[in-house]
């Protein structure tokens, strides 16, 4: 029962203060080539659905709609709104592969830009879309091309706002599906223009390793990679360092996968002979689960890379299953990204992955139960801040294992005695004296004391010393993992002898000053 409660608490979403609340984007592409019936899409699982693709005419530079796609476009929005009337639909414009030259030719000439911009807005309105998505244009080494791209984005947004004002309709949403790296050699995307003009940027967080290009098994959508910079975490940090705020980013979740045929062992990085099963080694999640029968003991979850793989005879299948999807969504929450977008919805299997991606959707119902009201000390007129963070998790965990409840109606003051009491007992090696007697049995004492130590790590005074939610998850799952030594809890009325009293006072002032908006940055801790 205790572990069930702890798991429940751990997987609650991090909540920002009410003034910072944003709509969580749950988006997906529907690719017309898939022939997946639009009526079969469970649009209740998404906030945005994007029709893929329109193209750029190589001679007129107007938006080009394939004749075979037009019937689908005419009915797409109406059909998906039958299940979800609030769904926002977008039309995606493909610029990848051989279309790069056409895109840059368009962006480099004022008259070509005008043709493209006006036709894109007209087509979006004609087919009932509420937004436009520019997909997969890569950064170029030419500074001139990057400058032209920035001008295009400025003119596009200006035209969208002008059309909205003249038509009295809401402005079209404008999004970008960006290459996973924002720069190439010494050049970069026009980041200031992107910040000004796009509602969000999808970071395409996959295709890192392909069986057609490499002779080893690779995690092609790795969240982390301890041996290289080829990972989503590195790419996200790179985008942020180039100037794109996290709240403008949407994390890409791939619903299509890569197969490799290994000739030796079966771990990530093993030698491989190239694609298996299909010509390029790609296939849908649905095919992997049904035809390749990747289930049960065949599936391995690698928490280091945050990916799954399956062994079927001599075939090694690397993909993201439920565990990986949930961890990546939690990562996006902790990094304060705007949401996620999947490629593409037809590859799911009975909406298993889409439901896994939306596993935090119960947050509205849980907020009232797990909000902590924190009044700024010394200022009775200061507004209360509502947060759920690692500190709150630690307090709740200590209350659970001790059986003591917070009956104070004015915030954390009752917690202070509890935290000090727990810390003193833990330091003296008497942690079991803190536990609720109903939890005191000889078979679980080590686990209980470990939970106590984890809780104390969560409530340390300096937020930088506290673990992240991902670190908490890893620690709770691995009972032998090493842990840091907790420091004295926040707001403690006592001090350890080796603490610098002046520094502590400065830290408390920095964390709790009413005018210090950086307090909100502690939410993920």
């Amino acid at each position: 029962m205790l572990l069930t409660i702890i798991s429940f608490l751990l997987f609650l979403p991090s909540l920002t203060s009410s003034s910072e609340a944003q709509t969580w984007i749950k988006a997906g592409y529907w690719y017309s080539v898939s022939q997946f019936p639009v009526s079969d899409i469970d649009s209740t699982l998404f906030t945005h659905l994007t029709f893929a693709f329109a193209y750029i005419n190589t001679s007129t530079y107007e938006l080009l709609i394939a004749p075979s796609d037009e019937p689908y476009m005419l009915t797409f929005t109406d059909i998906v709104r039958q299940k979800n009337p609030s769904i926002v639909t977008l039309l995606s414009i493909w610029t990848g592969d051989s279309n790069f030259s056409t895109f840059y030719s368009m962006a480099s000439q004022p008259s070509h830009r005008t043709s493209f911009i006006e036709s894109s807005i007209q087509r979006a309105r004609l087919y009932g879309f509420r937004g436009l998505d520019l997909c997969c244009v890569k950064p170029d080494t030419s500074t001139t091309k990057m400058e032209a791209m920035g001008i295009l984005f400025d003119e596009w947004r200006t035209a969208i706002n002008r059309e909205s004002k003249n038509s009295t309709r809401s402005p079209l949403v404008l999004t970008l599906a960006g290459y996973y790296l924002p720069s190439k050699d010494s050049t970069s995307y026009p980041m200031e223009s992107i910040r000004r003009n796009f509602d969000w940027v999808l970071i395409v967080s996959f295709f890192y390793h392909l069986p057609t290009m490499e002779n080893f098994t690779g995690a092609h959508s790795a969240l982390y990679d301890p041996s290289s910079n080829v990972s989503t975490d590195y790419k996200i940090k790179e985008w942020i360092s180039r100037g794109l705020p996290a709240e403008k980013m949407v994390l890409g979740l791939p619903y299509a996968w890569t197969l490799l045929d290994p000739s030796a062992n079966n771990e990530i990085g093993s030698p491989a002979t190239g694609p298996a099963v299909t010509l390029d080694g790609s296939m849908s999640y649905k095919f992997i689960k049904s035809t390749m029968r990747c289930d049960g003991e065949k599936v391995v979850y690698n928490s280091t890379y945050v990916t799954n793989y399956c062994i079927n005879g001599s075939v090694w299948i690397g993909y993201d299953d439920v565990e990986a999807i949930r961890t990546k969504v939690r990562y996006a929450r902790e990094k304060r990204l705007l949401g996620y977008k999947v490629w593409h919805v037809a590859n799911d299997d009975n909406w298993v992955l889409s439901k896994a991606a939306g596993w935090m959707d119960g947050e509205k119902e849980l907020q009232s139960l797990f909000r902590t009201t924190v009044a700024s000390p010394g200022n009775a007129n200061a507004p209360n801040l509502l947060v759920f963070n690692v500190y709150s998790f630690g307090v709740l965990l200590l209350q659970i294992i001790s059986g003591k409840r917070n009956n104070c109606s004015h915030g954390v003051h009752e917690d202070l005695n509890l935290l000090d009491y727990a810390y003193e007992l833990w330091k003296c090696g008497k942690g079991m004296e803190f536990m609720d007697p109903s939890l005191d049995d000889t078979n679980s004492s080590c686990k209980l004391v470990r939970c106590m130590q984890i809780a104390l790590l969560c409530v340390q005074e300096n937020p930088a010393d506290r673990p992240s939610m991902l670190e908490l998850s890893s620690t709770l799952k691995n009972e032998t993992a090493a842990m840091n030594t907790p420091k004295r809890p926040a707001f403690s009325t006592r001090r350890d002898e080796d603490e610098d009293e002046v520094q502590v006072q400065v830290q408390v002032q920095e964390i709790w000053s009413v005018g210090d908006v950086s307090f909100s940055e502690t939410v993920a801790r």
Side-chain angles (χ1 to χ4, degrees):
M1 180 62 180
L2 175 62
L3 293 178
T4 300
I5 296 173
I6 292 173
S7 298
F8 174 71
L9 292 176
L10 180 63
F11 292 133
L12 283 174
S14 298
L15 303 178
T16 60
S17 63
S18 57
S19 62
E20 295 179 328
Q22 300 185 76
T23 300
W24 179 246
I25 301 297
K26 301 182 295 180
Y29 284 99
W30 178 81
Y31 189 25
S32 60
V33 175
S34 70
Q35 297 298 307
F36 183 80
V38 177
S39 58
D40 286 354
I41 300 174
D42 187 350
S43 56
T44 63
L45 298 171
F46 303 93
T47 60
H48 298 71
L49 282 172
T50 302
F51 187 107
F53 292 103
Y55 304 90
I56 303 174
N57 189 296
T58 57
S59 57
T60 66
Y61 299 101
E62 293 183 349
L63 206 64
L64 174 66
I65 308 297
S68 59
D69 285 341
E70 188 168 20
Y72 295 113
M73 285 192 186
L74 285 168
T75 59
F76 182 80
T77 298
D78 288 339
I79 291 174
V80 298
R81 282 183 179 169
Q82 290 177 10
K83 296 178 182 177
N84 182 1
S86 64
I87 196 81
V88 176
T89 59
L90 298 90
L91 175 60
S92 185
I93 305 164
W94 177 253
T95 63
D97 302 332
S98 60
N99 295 270
F100 286 143
S101 59
T102 302
F103 172 81
Y104 282 117
S105 178
M106 176 272 294
S108 300
Q109 295 292 328
S111 61
H112 296 169
R113 291 196 299 266
T114 299
S115 296
F116 169 76
I117 291 170
E118 291 183 353
S119 64
S120 69
I121 296 172
Q122 188 271 335
R123 300 289 196 283
R125 293 300 192 189
L126 175 64
Y127 294 110
F129 295 104
R130 290 176 54 191
L132 290 161
D133 172 67
L134 186 67
C135 185
C136 306
V137 59
K138 294 182 180 179
D140 193 88
T141 55
S142 168
T143 302
T144 301
K145 289 182 178 179
M146 293 297 94
E147 291 174 351
M149 185 189 290
I151 294 172
L152 168 67
F153 296 161
D154 285 333
E155 292 180 353
W156 206 358
R157 172 53 70 184
T158 298
I160 285 174
N161 291 340
R162 182 173 58 247
E163 186 272 342
S164 171
K165 183 178 179 180
N166 292 338
S167 67
T168 67
R169 290 183 286 191
S170 299
L172 292 171
V173 175
L174 190 60
T175 67
L176 173 69
Y179 192 58
Y180 55 74
L181 273 179
S183 58
K184 189 171 184 179
D185 296 337
S186 60
T187 60
S188 173
Y189 280 121
M191 204 62 70
E192 286 302 315
S193 179
I194 289 175
R195 286 180 51 166
R196 287 194 301 270
N197 300 307
F198 286 94
D199 292 279
W200 76 72
V201 177
L202 164 67
I203 310 301
V204 179
S205 311
F206 38 92
F207 300 142
Y208 300 151
H209 303 282
L210 298 175
T212 53
M213 301 177 65
E214 297 169 336
N215 59 356
F216 59 87
T217 59
H220 86 293
S221 59
L223 182 57
Y224 304 107
D225 189 334
S227 60
S228 75
N229 291 332
V230 185
S231 70
T232 299
D233 181 61
Y234 177 83
K235 312 306 181 187
I236 293 290
K237 291 176 180 176
E238 184 69 13
W239 274 89
I240 292 174
S241 72
R242 294 281 180 170
L244 185 67
E247 59 268 21
K248 280 266 186 176
M249 294 186 200
V250 170
L251 181 66
L253 299 178
Y255 282 7
W257 317 110
T258 300
L259 298 186
L260 300 174
D261 186 4
S263 58
N265 54 31
N266 54 29
E267 298 176 354
I268 293 175
S270 300
T273 59
V277 182
T278 65
L279 290 177
D280 62 355
S282 65
M283 64 175 60
S284 69
Y285 177 78
K286 184 183 300 183
F287 188 89
I288 290 172
K289 302 302 283 188
S290 59
T291 305
M292 301 306 296
R293 301 183 184 279
C294 284
D295 211 343
E297 295 181 357
K298 288 184 178 180
V299 179
V300 178
Y301 173 61
N302 187 302
S303 59
T304 301
Y305 292 84
V306 186
T307 191
N308 296 85
Y309 62 88
C310 167
I311 311 299
N312 190 325
S314 63
V315 176
W316 188 94
I317 308 170
Y319 67 107
D320 284 6
D321 213 326
V322 169
E323 302 95 331
I325 293 295
R326 285 181 172 175
T327 301
K328 289 179 179 181
V329 172
R330 187 161 68 247
Y331 170 91
R333 288 278 194 177
E334 290 196 3
K335 296 299 181 182
R336 298 191 184 180
L337 306 189
L338 188 59
Y340 61 83
K341 190 168 187 176
V342 303
W343 176 264
H344 57 92
V345 298
N347 280 338
D348 206 346
D349 181 24
N350 198 28
W351 306 109
V352 169
L353 295 182
S354 298
K355 291 176 181 177
W359 69 292
M360 289 181 166
D361 288 350
E363 97 176 12
K364 290 183 178 179
E365 290 76 12
L366 295 170
Q367 285 181 13
S368 61
L369 296 175
F370 295 101
R371 285 187 175 187
T372 303
T373 305
V374 182
S376 190
N379 189 339
N381 297 320
N384 289 339
L385 301 176
L386 298 177
V387 297
F388 183 85
N389 49 27
V390 167
Y391 176 88
S392 304
F393 173 84
V395 171
L396 287 169
L397 183 51
L398 288 173
Q399 291 175 348
I400 289 170
I401 62 178
S402 67
K404 302 181 187 301
R405 301 183 62 182
N406 175 19
N407 297 318
C408 180
S409 61
H410 301 289
V412 300
H413 300 299
E414 184 73 13
D415 298 333
L416 303 186
N417 293 332
L418 181 66
L419 304 193
D420 269 339
Y421 178 54
Y423 180 71
E424 293 298 331
L425 287 176
W426 180 84
K427 277 184 63 179
C428 297
K430 301 179 180 179
M432 288 307 299
E433 295 183 14
F434 181 76
M435 307 302 170
D436 187 306
S438 65
L439 301 176
D440 184 9
D441 69 76
T442 56
N443 294 324
S444 64
S445 60
C446 291
K447 293 181 181 178
L448 289 172
V449 173
R450 183 177 177 84
C451 286
M452 184 180 185
Q453 183 175 351
I454 290 172
L456 289 171
L457 288 171
C458 294
V459 298
Q460 295 175 103
E461 188 160 52
N462 187 348
D465 292 332
R466 302 169 193 166
S468 69
M469 281 294 188
L470 285 177
E471 291 167 338
L472 278 178
S473 177
S474 177
T475 302
L476 284 169
K477 289 178 181 178
N478 185 354
E479 297 181 4
T480 62
M483 290 191 294
N484 294 329
T485 301
K487 299 176 184 177
R488 188 166 289 280
F491 310 106
S492 176
T493 56
R494 305 177 184 180
R495 293 292 162 206
D496 290 331
E497 294 180 358
D498 59 348
E499 286 183 327
D500 184 346
E501 181 71 24
V502 175
Q503 180 63 30
V504 169
Q505 291 175 355
V506 170
Q507 288 178 345
V508 172
Q509 184 179 5
E510 288 177 348
I511 296 171
W512 291 101
S513 173
V514 175
D516 188 354
V517 296
S518 66
F519 169 82
S520 62
E521 295 180 1
T522 66
V523 168
R525 294 282 180 186

